[in-house]
mmCIF file of all heavy atoms in Angstrom:
data_model
loop_
_atom_site.group_PDB
_atom_site.id
_atom_site.type_symbol
_atom_site.label_atom_id
_atom_site.label_comp_id
_atom_site.label_asym_id
_atom_site.label_seq_id
_atom_site.Cartn_x
_atom_site.Cartn_y
_atom_site.Cartn_z
ATOM 1 N N TRP A 180 28.003 9.596 -1.832
ATOM 2 C CA TRP A 180 26.545 9.700 -1.937
ATOM 3 C C TRP A 180 25.957 8.302 -1.883
ATOM 4 O O TRP A 180 26.457 7.379 -2.554
ATOM 5 C CB TRP A 180 26.159 10.362 -3.265
ATOM 6 C CG TRP A 180 24.680 10.399 -3.543
ATOM 7 C CD1 TRP A 180 23.966 9.492 -4.265
ATOM 8 C CD2 TRP A 180 23.760 11.407 -3.123
ATOM 9 N NE1 TRP A 180 22.636 9.876 -4.312
ATOM 10 C CE2 TRP A 180 22.483 11.044 -3.626
ATOM 11 C CE3 TRP A 180 23.879 12.570 -2.369
ATOM 12 C CZ2 TRP A 180 21.334 11.807 -3.395
ATOM 13 C CZ3 TRP A 180 22.730 13.335 -2.145
ATOM 14 C CH2 TRP A 180 21.476 12.958 -2.649
ATOM 15 N N SER A 181 24.899 8.112 -1.087
ATOM 16 C CA SER A 181 24.204 6.830 -1.091
ATOM 17 C C SER A 181 22.759 7.055 -0.685
ATOM 18 O O SER A 181 22.480 7.481 0.434
ATOM 19 C CB SER A 181 24.878 5.841 -0.133
ATOM 20 O OG SER A 181 24.336 4.562 -0.330
ATOM 21 N N PHE A 182 21.857 6.795 -1.614
ATOM 22 C CA PHE A 182 20.441 7.005 -1.342
ATOM 23 C C PHE A 182 19.653 5.731 -1.595
ATOM 24 O O PHE A 182 19.826 5.078 -2.621
ATOM 25 C CB PHE A 182 19.895 8.155 -2.221
ATOM 26 C CG PHE A 182 18.721 8.832 -1.591
ATOM 27 C CD1 PHE A 182 18.904 9.902 -0.727
ATOM 28 C CD2 PHE A 182 17.436 8.370 -1.821
ATOM 29 C CE1 PHE A 182 17.825 10.505 -0.103
ATOM 30 C CE2 PHE A 182 16.354 8.969 -1.197
ATOM 31 C CZ PHE A 182 16.545 10.045 -0.347
ATOM 32 N N ASP A 183 18.801 5.382 -0.619
ATOM 33 C CA ASP A 183 17.949 4.188 -0.719
ATOM 34 C C ASP A 183 18.758 2.896 -0.705
ATOM 35 O O ASP A 183 18.358 1.907 -1.315
ATOM 36 C CB ASP A 183 17.080 4.255 -1.986
ATOM 37 C CG ASP A 183 15.656 3.818 -1.684
ATOM 38 O OD1 ASP A 183 15.427 3.264 -0.606
ATOM 39 O OD2 ASP A 183 14.770 4.025 -2.541
ATOM 40 N N VAL A 184 19.878 2.903 -0.018
ATOM 41 C CA VAL A 184 20.766 1.738 0.030
ATOM 42 C C VAL A 184 20.999 1.312 1.489
ATOM 43 O O VAL A 184 20.650 0.190 1.885
ATOM 44 C CB VAL A 184 22.119 2.063 -0.656
ATOM 45 C CG1 VAL A 184 23.067 0.878 -0.578
ATOM 46 C CG2 VAL A 184 21.901 2.498 -2.100
ATOM 47 N N PHE A 185 21.532 2.226 2.320
ATOM 48 C CA PHE A 185 21.812 1.895 3.725
ATOM 49 C C PHE A 185 20.528 1.545 4.486
ATOM 50 O O PHE A 185 20.591 0.856 5.497
ATOM 51 C CB PHE A 185 22.547 3.053 4.423
ATOM 52 C CG PHE A 185 24.023 3.076 4.131
ATOM 53 C CD1 PHE A 185 24.482 3.306 2.847
ATOM 54 C CD2 PHE A 185 24.952 2.855 5.131
ATOM 55 C CE1 PHE A 185 25.837 3.319 2.554
ATOM 56 C CE2 PHE A 185 26.316 2.861 4.857
ATOM 57 C CZ PHE A 185 26.762 3.087 3.565
ATOM 58 N N VAL A 186 19.389 2.001 3.990
ATOM 59 C CA VAL A 186 18.121 1.636 4.647
ATOM 60 C C VAL A 186 17.917 0.123 4.636
ATOM 61 O O VAL A 186 17.140 -0.404 5.431
ATOM 62 C CB VAL A 186 16.897 2.338 3.982
ATOM 63 C CG1 VAL A 186 16.949 3.823 4.169
ATOM 64 C CG2 VAL A 186 16.773 1.983 2.497
ATOM 65 N N HIS A 187 18.622 -0.560 3.710
ATOM 66 C CA HIS A 187 18.470 -2.015 3.576
ATOM 67 C C HIS A 187 19.661 -2.797 4.134
ATOM 68 O O HIS A 187 19.700 -4.020 4.019
ATOM 69 C CB HIS A 187 18.344 -2.396 2.097
ATOM 70 C CG HIS A 187 17.220 -1.706 1.386
ATOM 71 N ND1 HIS A 187 15.905 -1.835 1.757
ATOM 72 C CD2 HIS A 187 17.216 -0.865 0.322
ATOM 73 C CE1 HIS A 187 15.151 -1.124 0.947
ATOM 74 N NE2 HIS A 187 15.914 -0.514 0.083
ATOM 75 N N ILE A 188 20.663 -2.112 4.694
ATOM 76 C CA ILE A 188 21.900 -2.805 5.082
ATOM 77 C C ILE A 188 21.937 -3.088 6.588
ATOM 78 O O ILE A 188 21.632 -2.212 7.403
ATOM 79 C CB ILE A 188 23.138 -1.978 4.643
ATOM 80 C CG1 ILE A 188 23.126 -1.798 3.115
ATOM 81 C CG2 ILE A 188 24.422 -2.641 5.083
ATOM 82 C CD1 ILE A 188 24.328 -1.036 2.562
ATOM 83 N N ALA A 189 22.338 -4.283 6.949
ATOM 84 C CA ALA A 189 22.398 -4.689 8.366
ATOM 85 C C ALA A 189 23.394 -3.810 9.134
ATOM 86 O O ALA A 189 24.448 -3.450 8.581
ATOM 87 C CB ALA A 189 22.822 -6.145 8.455
ATOM 88 N N PRO A 190 23.078 -3.459 10.402
ATOM 89 C CA PRO A 190 23.946 -2.554 11.170
ATOM 90 C C PRO A 190 25.444 -2.889 11.171
ATOM 91 O O PRO A 190 26.259 -1.975 10.992
ATOM 92 C CB PRO A 190 23.336 -2.588 12.575
ATOM 93 C CG PRO A 190 21.883 -2.879 12.311
ATOM 94 C CD PRO A 190 21.853 -3.802 11.127
ATOM 95 N N PRO A 191 25.874 -4.164 11.308
ATOM 96 C CA PRO A 191 27.332 -4.408 11.296
ATOM 97 C C PRO A 191 27.972 -4.013 9.956
ATOM 98 O O PRO A 191 29.106 -3.536 9.923
ATOM 99 C CB PRO A 191 27.444 -5.923 11.523
ATOM 100 C CG PRO A 191 26.146 -6.322 12.126
ATOM 101 C CD PRO A 191 25.106 -5.395 11.590
ATOM 102 N N ASP A 192 27.216 -4.196 8.853
ATOM 103 C CA ASP A 192 27.757 -3.803 7.536
ATOM 104 C C ASP A 192 27.727 -2.279 7.379
ATOM 105 O O ASP A 192 28.619 -1.703 6.743
ATOM 106 C CB ASP A 192 26.970 -4.490 6.412
ATOM 107 C CG ASP A 192 27.128 -5.998 6.439
ATOM 108 O OD1 ASP A 192 28.169 -6.475 6.950
ATOM 109 O OD2 ASP A 192 26.211 -6.710 5.983
ATOM 110 N N VAL A 193 26.705 -1.630 7.974
ATOM 111 C CA VAL A 193 26.664 -0.157 7.957
ATOM 112 C C VAL A 193 27.916 0.363 8.660
ATOM 113 O O VAL A 193 28.619 1.250 8.158
ATOM 114 C CB VAL A 193 25.388 0.377 8.661
ATOM 115 C CG1 VAL A 193 25.476 1.889 8.874
ATOM 116 C CG2 VAL A 193 24.135 0.023 7.864
ATOM 117 N N GLU A 194 28.218 -0.250 9.815
ATOM 118 C CA GLU A 194 29.388 0.221 10.582
ATOM 119 C C GLU A 194 30.681 -0.004 9.793
ATOM 120 O O GLU A 194 31.578 0.853 9.791
ATOM 121 C CB GLU A 194 29.453 -0.464 11.950
ATOM 122 C CG GLU A 194 30.692 -0.066 12.715
ATOM 123 C CD GLU A 194 30.468 0.153 14.192
ATOM 124 O OE1 GLU A 194 29.574 -0.501 14.749
ATOM 125 O OE2 GLU A 194 31.216 0.980 14.774
ATOM 126 N N SER A 195 30.758 -1.138 9.108
ATOM 127 C CA SER A 195 31.943 -1.414 8.299
ATOM 128 C C SER A 195 32.104 -0.344 7.204
ATOM 129 O O SER A 195 33.198 0.163 6.964
ATOM 130 C CB SER A 195 31.802 -2.816 7.696
ATOM 131 O OG SER A 195 32.769 -3.022 6.725
ATOM 132 N N TYR A 196 30.991 0.038 6.566
ATOM 133 C CA TYR A 196 31.039 1.086 5.536
ATOM 134 C C TYR A 196 31.468 2.422 6.142
ATOM 135 O O TYR A 196 32.207 3.182 5.513
ATOM 136 C CB TYR A 196 29.670 1.250 4.868
ATOM 137 C CG TYR A 196 29.473 0.400 3.635
ATOM 138 C CD1 TYR A 196 28.333 -0.370 3.476
ATOM 139 C CD2 TYR A 196 30.425 0.394 2.609
ATOM 140 C CE1 TYR A 196 28.131 -1.143 2.340
ATOM 141 C CE2 TYR A 196 30.236 -0.382 1.470
ATOM 142 C CZ TYR A 196 29.096 -1.147 1.335
ATOM 143 O OH TYR A 196 28.911 -1.897 0.210
ATOM 144 N N ILE A 197 30.976 2.719 7.349
ATOM 145 C CA ILE A 197 31.336 4.007 7.970
ATOM 146 C C ILE A 197 32.850 4.061 8.220
ATOM 147 O O ILE A 197 33.503 5.070 7.963
ATOM 148 C CB ILE A 197 30.521 4.245 9.254
ATOM 149 C CG1 ILE A 197 29.066 4.513 8.855
ATOM 150 C CG2 ILE A 197 31.078 5.416 10.058
ATOM 151 C CD1 ILE A 197 28.103 4.595 10.004
#
Side-chain angles (χ1 to χ4, degrees):
W180 174 266
S181 190
F182 207 89
D183 223 348
V184 178
F185 279 65
V186 294
H187 304 300
I188 300 182
D192 295 334
V193 169
E194 176 140 30
S195 169
Y196 269 131
I197 290 173

